[in-house]
């Protein structure tokens, strides 16, 4: 009794989701279907190596090099691969170019298909039900919530990603950027501008 | 007059969160990628299964339970492929939880620490 208050619970706790994941990992490893070391490599890749900086380099090159832009328009998969960005969920890419008349917006109404090789993994809002349902029905309203008000006459084209085909939006090059090199241009290209929920930044905005 | 429209707000428009909120989400993500690469299922099959889970009415509007559905889709698919059934996963998950309880704080949790381990 007297030592009750000295009794510390030093037990570990696993929450139910963590326990289920460990269980699956145990079962799949025992069956030889996965290798825990390979799992760690995949996690590290998506936590640290793949992200929207890749896509920003693609866009900056397209802005600076008309031949590359043409290639990107004709065969985005090959053009992107030429910069070293290849791999999972980037096997079939299409680049859609914003113009003064048309703004492009990408969604996956099915689940969360997204061009991992150039943008990394999707943000939470991209995977959430409101964006997935509303981007198609009311793209202008969705863009307004992102703080993006487009002129009335600008057409908005919505692209619905699939497991087979992913889209990269090439935003319009901001004005007063003629003097900038590719590296400087890439810093103006935000993740959202490549999904279509934003525009490229003006120089000096960051 | 048109009926009032119910519009779900977007969760954190433009917001930036870490790729994975918790380590188990990263593991669940990576297992699907690895199993697909091994050819257990096509990415189309995966997208369809995930979509079915995400379209269930209890899915959170803010997308915070995305990886709960992701994991559920993985369990559905491995059951369908005859790799392991729900009871198998339940049993091993329970063993992991017993092992966690039996492991002193600060020590790595190993499945061998399950007091029932090897006696079943």
């Amino acid at each position: 009794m007297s030592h009750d208050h000295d009794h510390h619970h030093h037990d570990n706790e696993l929450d139910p989701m963590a326990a289920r994941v460990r269980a699956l990992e145990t079962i799949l490893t025992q069956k030889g279907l996965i290798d825990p070391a390979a799992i760690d490599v995949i996690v590290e890749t998506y936590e640290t190596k793949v992200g929207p900086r890749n896509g920003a380099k693609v866009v900056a090159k397209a802005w600076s090099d008309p031949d590359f832009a043409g290639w990107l328009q004709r065969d985005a998969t090959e053009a992107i691969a030429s910069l070293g960005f290849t791999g999972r969920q980037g096997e079939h890419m299409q680049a859609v170019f914003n113009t003064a008349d048309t703004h492009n917006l990408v969604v996956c109404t099915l689940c969360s298909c997204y061009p991992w090789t150039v943008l990394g993994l999707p943000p939470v809002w991209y995977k959430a039900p409101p964006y997935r349902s509303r981007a198609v029905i009311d793209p202008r309203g969705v863009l307004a919530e992102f703080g993006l008000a487009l002129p009335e006459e600008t057409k908005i084209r919505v692209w619905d990603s699939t497991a087979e085909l992913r889209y990269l939006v090439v935003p319009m090059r901001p004005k007063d950027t003629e003097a900038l090199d590719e590296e400087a241009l890439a810093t103006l290209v935000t993740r959202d501008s490549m999904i279509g929920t934003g525009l490229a930044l003006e120089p000096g905005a960051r | 007059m048109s009926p009032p429209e119910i519009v779900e707000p977007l969760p954190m428009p433009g917001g930036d969160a870490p790729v994975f909120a918790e380590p188990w989400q990263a593991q669940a993500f990576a297992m699907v990628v690895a199993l697909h690469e091994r050819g257990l299922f096509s990415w189309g099959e995966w997208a369809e299964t995930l979509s079915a889970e995400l379209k269930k009415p209890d899915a959170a509007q803010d997308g915070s339970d995305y990886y709960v559905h992701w994991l559920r889709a993985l369990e559905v698919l491995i059951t369908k492929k005859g790799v392991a059934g729900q009871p198998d996963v339940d049993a091993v998950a329970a063993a992991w939880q017993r092992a966690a309880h039996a492991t002193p704080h600060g020590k790595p949790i190993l499945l061998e620490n399950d007091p029932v381990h090897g006696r079943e």
Side-chain angles (χ1 to χ4, degrees), chain A residues 128-141:
Chain A
Y131 181 76
R132 291 181 14 239
S133 56
R134 288 181 43 211
V136 176
I137 305 163
D138 178 24
R140 215 169 274 275

Side-chain angles (χ1 to χ4, degrees), chain A residues 30-196:
Chain A
Q30 280 169 355
K31 293 192 182 264
L33 290 168
I34 59 169
D35 165 12
I39 294 293
D40 290 344
V41 171
I42 294 170
V43 170
E44 207 214 328
T45 300
Y46 287 95
E47 277 184 332
T48 63
K49 297 204 176 111
V50 183
R53 295 339 304 156
N54 293 0
K57 285 182 194 155
V58 174
V59 170
K61 191 165 182 64
W63 283 347
S64 329
D65 177 346
D67 287 342
F68 182 79
W71 189 11
L72 189 61
Q73 195 139 30
R74 285 190 310 277
D75 186 349
T77 311
E78 281 297 310
I80 290 168
S82 76
L83 300 182
F85 308 133
T86 57
R88 307 174 182 113
Q89 312 311 315
E91 294 93 341
H92 300 286
M93 291 289 310
Q94 185 175 338
V96 289
F97 290 68
N98 287 349
T99 64
D101 303 323
T102 307
H103 181 88
N104 295 287
L105 179 67
V106 179
V107 66
C108 172
T109 59
L110 178 72
C111 50
S112 48
C113 301
Y114 194 71
W116 296 355
T117 45
V118 280
L119 296 186
L121 298 183
V124 173
W125 53 261
Y126 184 88
K127 303 179 287 189
Y131 181 76
R132 291 181 14 239
S133 56
R134 288 181 43 211
V136 176
I137 305 163
D138 178 24
R140 215 169 274 275
V142 166
L143 292 182
E145 278 179 61
F146 279 88
L148 182 55
L150 295 172
E152 275 295 311
E153 60 274 17
T154 304
K155 286 192 287 285
I156 302 175
R157 189 148 183 206
V158 182
W159 301 84
D160 194 357
S161 315
T162 66
E164 283 82 38
L165 187 58
R166 317 296 167 105
Y167 301 95
L168 176 73
V169 174
V170 180
M172 283 203 289
R173 181 173 177 159
K175 48 184 189 315
D176 306 324
T177 55
E178 294 75 13
L180 300 182
D181 63 11
E182 269 181 43
E183 206 177 313
L185 286 171
T187 66
L188 304 176
V189 185
T190 63
R191 177 196 65 200
D192 287 5
S193 74
M194 294 180 280
I195 303 174

